[in-house]
Amino acid sequence: MQVTSTYRYARISAFKAREVTREIQGRSASDALDLLTFSPKKAAVMVRKTLKSAIANAENNADLKVDTLLVKEAVVGEGPTFKRFRARARGSASPLRKRTSHIRIVLADELAPTAPVSRSRKNRPAEQASTVAADDQTKSESRKAPGARKASTRKPAAKTPKEEADESAETAESAPTDAKAPKRESAAKEENQEE
């Protein structure tokens, strides 16, 4: 069930009030009240007043419990703007816009107590703790021994043409005497054959 409360013609701009309503949207009503109590903004006072009114409506009109209330919507719409002016130099005037807003809060009784998702290791039963410990041990072993993984499944990385050229240059530089020696012998044999 949904319960609403509206503060109409609040003397604050909608832009400033939306900063506060964004914070409480989706929270439980009690958490939202706590947050608004300690917020230093002017809009927090107005939003808190509206929220308290919505909680009172839920308790008295709809017979709902405060513990189950959730802030489903916290919407701020623009109200009428009062147009005034301020006297300026040389008899001129500059406009003043005194903005107002309408603050609307919708509460729903959708908040249900939920069990914690994960518990600490101290609270786990002995059987679960032993299986978790075994899983942790296998994970740590696999982290320590990266070479133990399947090496055959990995494909060698493809080499770029630049890498291939660098490798061929390295092999040519590493054995210059071995490569030149057979050439000299073959050159000598050719000279002997020509003579």
XYZ file of all heavy atoms in Angstrom, residues 60 64 91 98 113 132-133 136-137 164-165 175 188 193 195:
107
model
N -1.725 6.430 10.936
C -3.089 6.736 11.360
C -4.140 6.377 10.322
O -5.215 5.879 10.675
C -3.208 8.217 11.722
C -2.318 8.569 12.892
O -2.198 7.804 13.841
N -1.669 9.717 12.809
N -0.320 1.173 9.029
C 0.939 0.527 8.665
C 1.968 0.733 9.766
O 1.900 1.712 10.518
C 1.474 1.118 7.352
C 0.589 0.944 6.119
C 1.203 1.690 4.940
C 0.416 -0.517 5.775
N 18.972 54.374 -11.907
C 17.528 54.224 -11.996
C 17.050 52.990 -12.733
O 15.877 52.879 -13.070
N 11.838 34.642 -7.226
C 11.712 33.915 -5.953
C 10.953 32.628 -6.261
O 9.735 32.636 -6.396
C 10.991 34.775 -4.923
C 11.754 36.036 -4.616
C 11.218 36.740 -3.410
C 12.145 37.901 -3.080
N 11.856 38.469 -1.777
N 12.201 -7.627 6.406
C 13.499 -7.991 6.973
C 14.121 -9.122 6.168
O 13.465 -10.113 5.856
C 13.168 -8.442 8.399
C 11.713 -8.729 8.393
C 11.107 -7.894 7.321
N 35.095 -25.272 2.492
C 35.588 -23.955 2.082
C 37.099 -23.899 2.237
O 37.809 -23.374 1.383
C 34.906 -22.837 2.901
C 35.584 -21.509 2.673
C 33.433 -22.754 2.535
N 37.620 -24.487 3.318
C 39.066 -24.496 3.526
C 39.757 -25.293 2.433
O 40.818 -24.904 1.942
C 39.392 -25.075 4.905
N 39.785 -23.213 -0.704
C 40.781 -22.144 -0.588
C 42.186 -22.678 -0.799
O 43.028 -22.028 -1.412
C 40.688 -21.463 0.774
C 39.418 -20.634 0.921
O 38.792 -20.337 -0.122
O 39.069 -20.278 2.065
N 42.452 -23.898 -0.290
C 43.784 -24.480 -0.418
C 44.092 -24.791 -1.883
O 45.186 -24.504 -2.369
C 43.872 -25.758 0.422
C 45.264 -26.349 0.467
C 45.330 -27.557 1.376
O 44.320 -28.010 1.877
N 46.523 -28.071 1.590
N 60.244 -10.695 -36.389
C 60.954 -11.680 -37.209
C 62.242 -11.086 -37.773
O 63.273 -11.753 -37.810
C 60.044 -12.149 -38.343
C 58.885 -12.992 -37.857
C 57.942 -13.364 -38.985
O 58.214 -12.995 -40.153
O 56.929 -14.030 -38.696
N 62.191 -9.822 -38.200
C 63.389 -9.172 -38.744
C 64.444 -9.008 -37.658
O 65.642 -9.201 -37.905
C 63.017 -7.812 -39.325
N 76.645 -15.151 -35.138
C 77.610 -16.073 -35.741
C 78.167 -15.519 -37.045
O 78.018 -16.118 -38.099
C 76.938 -17.421 -35.972
N 87.166 -19.464 -52.534
C 88.504 -19.952 -52.909
C 88.397 -21.081 -53.897
O 89.188 -21.182 -54.841
C 89.246 -20.379 -51.647
N 88.935 -23.097 -59.524
C 88.331 -23.705 -60.687
C 88.455 -22.809 -61.916
O 88.626 -23.269 -63.026
C 86.849 -24.043 -60.429
C 86.667 -25.152 -59.444
C 85.202 -25.353 -59.091
O 84.344 -24.630 -59.550
N 84.960 -26.366 -58.270
N 90.900 -20.717 -62.527
C 92.295 -20.617 -62.978
C 92.629 -21.880 -63.705
O 93.057 -22.112 -64.728
C 93.242 -20.498 -61.795
C 93.111 -19.196 -61.111
C 93.976 -19.137 -59.845
O 94.660 -20.087 -59.495
O 93.953 -18.101 -59.200
